[in-house]
Amino acid sequence: MYPLTYVDGYRIPIREEVYVLDIIPLTAGPATISSDQKLSLFNPTNLKAGPQLNLLTQHGNITCAKAYDAGNAVICTAGEDGSVSMWDLRNDPRRADVARLTDNPVSVSSLACSDAGYSVVVGTELQDHQASIIIWDVRSNSAPVLHYKEVHSDDVTELNFHPSNHNILLSGSTDGLVNICDIRIADEDEVIIQTFNHDASIHHAGFLNDTEVYALSHDEKLALYDMAENHQNGAATTDFGDMRQVLGCQYIANVTTKLNGAGAVIGAGAHDQQAFELIHMRKGQGWNLDRDGSVGLPGAHSSEIVRSFCFDDKAQTVFSAGEDGFIKAWRPNA
């Protein structure tokens, strides 16, 4: 394992316990959402100076955020009250909130955006025996253009658009299913074009490339599936099993797909050891974990859980965020 060095950081300076919930990598620098209901943007070379932009969201409790546009200037946030806000981070803070999508009263548990398809999508928690996937066209941001009520039977915990087709949407749920949907189809009986049964509550799921997807359960089971025609039975093509046993960790924070198609990175933590490790998942003859080439963040976020991590490849920096209220920057030794 190759250790990185902690070079910079910032902690939210308030007395009560505040979690940094997620990091969203943007062109301008890392953005974070935190449990004090803030959306913050940081200078990637000077975290300790504090947020360059610090916006108070209005969702009750904020739950998720995603970049909307390829230029990474607009970000969407959503939360407990069911609404979605769109923020243009180039604007003055008083004018940063550029759109608010409503007509959903149910708490949002997942979010996806596609500027190619002018789409913002939320997945909701289960309420009144119904969990929804709701889609807005931001060119007419009043009422949703689609509302699926039967795609999942429990909380919709993950949404991701296909990397090259903005009409294809992946959804994951605590019902154990990962569904691939064609959102050009309004009929709920026809919208699902493929289903993978992970047989455990979905924590994270996403596309690895044009045909392969991963699914990670809340009990840390990881498996890969393939949409290609020669894998139509829906069974896992690679089943890694319980990652706590495979990696000797206590939790998986997330799986981050590499944008160049060179696999993915698994973030694995052990809070009682104050450890966090980044393990590359590569594809050769099959998918394999590169344990020898793993990268460590020594000390991590002390004994607190690491919630999120992301990369700035140009600056050779890893950013991490955790339940200690910190965002941290890590780099190789000079």
Side-chain angles (χ1 to χ4, degrees):
M1 182 170 64
Y2 178 76
L4 299 184
T5 300
Y6 169 48
V7 295
D8 193 12
Y10 175 80
R11 185 178 185 274
I12 299 170
I14 57 178
R15 293 179 183 176
E16 63 265 29
E17 188 175 56
V18 176
Y19 294 173
V20 181
L21 303 171
D22 201 3
I23 306 177
I24 304 91
L26 304 177
T27 303
T32 64
I33 56 171
S34 47
S35 59
D36 59 353
Q37 316 315 318
K38 298 284 183 60
L39 167 64
S40 305
L41 177 67
F42 291 86
N43 179 341
T45 64
N46 192 9
L47 298 181
K48 62 180 176 291
Q52 295 179 306
L53 196 61
N54 210 23
L55 303 168
L56 181 63
T57 63
Q58 303 291 333
H59 300 297
N61 284 318
I62 191 170
T63 56
C64 43
K66 289 279 182 75
Y68 168 73
D69 62 327
N72 285 172
V74 178
I75 195 165
C76 295
T77 60
E80 185 179 55
D81 70 349
S83 69
V84 179
S85 289
M86 300 184 72
W87 309 83
D88 190 330
L89 302 185
R90 297 166 296 189
N91 290 351
D92 178 277
R94 292 167 296 181
R95 296 191 299 275
D97 193 353
V98 293
R100 193 164 173 86
L101 311 176
T102 55
D103 280 359
N104 167 44
V106 183
S107 181
V108 171
S109 48
S110 53
L111 174 68
C113 306
S114 168
D115 65 332
Y118 305 101
S119 300
V120 173
V121 187
V122 300
T124 74
E125 293 183 356
L126 185 70
Q127 182 172 302
D128 297 328
H129 310 289
Q130 179 179 297
S132 296
I133 295 174
I134 303 168
I135 303 175
W136 285 269
D137 183 328
V138 300
R139 294 168 295 185
S140 56
N141 62 16
S142 50
V145 293
L146 287 167
H147 188 166
Y148 300 117
K149 302 176 183 178
E150 298 174 1
V151 170
H152 289 288
S153 60
D154 211 335
D155 299 353
V156 181
T157 51
E158 186 70 281
L159 292 168
N160 276 298
F161 278 99
H162 189 275
S164 61
N165 187 341
H166 62 259
N167 295 306
I168 303 301
L169 179 72
L170 174 152
S171 62
S173 167
T174 52
D175 63 8
L177 302 181
V178 174
N179 288 326
I180 311 297
C181 298
D182 186 337
I183 61 172
R184 290 169 295 191
I185 300 170
D187 187 340
E188 294 219 42
D189 292 331
E190 304 291 335
V191 66
I192 299 172
I193 57 177
Q194 201 151 6
T195 294
F196 305 112
N197 186 355
H198 195 59
D199 202 28
S201 173
I202 300 298
H203 186 199
H204 291 296
F207 290 98
L208 293 166
N209 48 49
D210 278 353
T211 66
E212 293 177 283
V213 306
Y214 72 88
L216 174 71
S217 64
H218 284 101
D219 59 358
E220 319 301 355
K221 295 187 177 86
L222 177 66
L224 312 183
Y225 302 86
D226 201 325
M227 297 162 52
E229 290 183 6
N230 57 326
H231 293 289
Q232 284 296 319
N233 64 359
T237 53
T238 303
D239 188 348
F240 288 106
D242 188 335
M243 298 301 285
R244 292 169 296 187
Q245 298 173 10
V246 174
L247 299 176
C249 64
Q250 290 175 303
Y251 66 94
I252 302 295
N254 205 342
V255 178
T256 299
T257 304
K258 300 291 280 184
L259 296 177
N260 61 3
V265 176
I266 299 167
H271 42 78
D272 65 354
Q273 301 172 34
Q274 300 187 18
F276 196 74
E277 186 179 359
L278 303 171
I279 300 102
H280 206 143
M281 184 169 67
R282 304 179 189 273
K283 187 174 185 182
Q285 295 293 329
W287 286 93
N288 297 290
L289 303 177
D290 181 11
R291 294 303 308 276
D292 293 337
S294 70
V295 172
L297 310 184
H301 286 251
S302 187
S303 59
E304 300 292 345
I305 289 174
V306 177
R307 281 292 193 104
S308 184
F309 63 94
C310 69
F311 307 95
D312 184 335
D313 291 334
K314 186 177 180 181
Q316 288 192 301
T317 303
V318 173
F319 296 104
S320 62
E323 295 186 358
D324 57 355
F326 266 98
I327 175 173
K328 293 185 174 184
W330 309 79
R331 296 194 189 104
N333 288 320

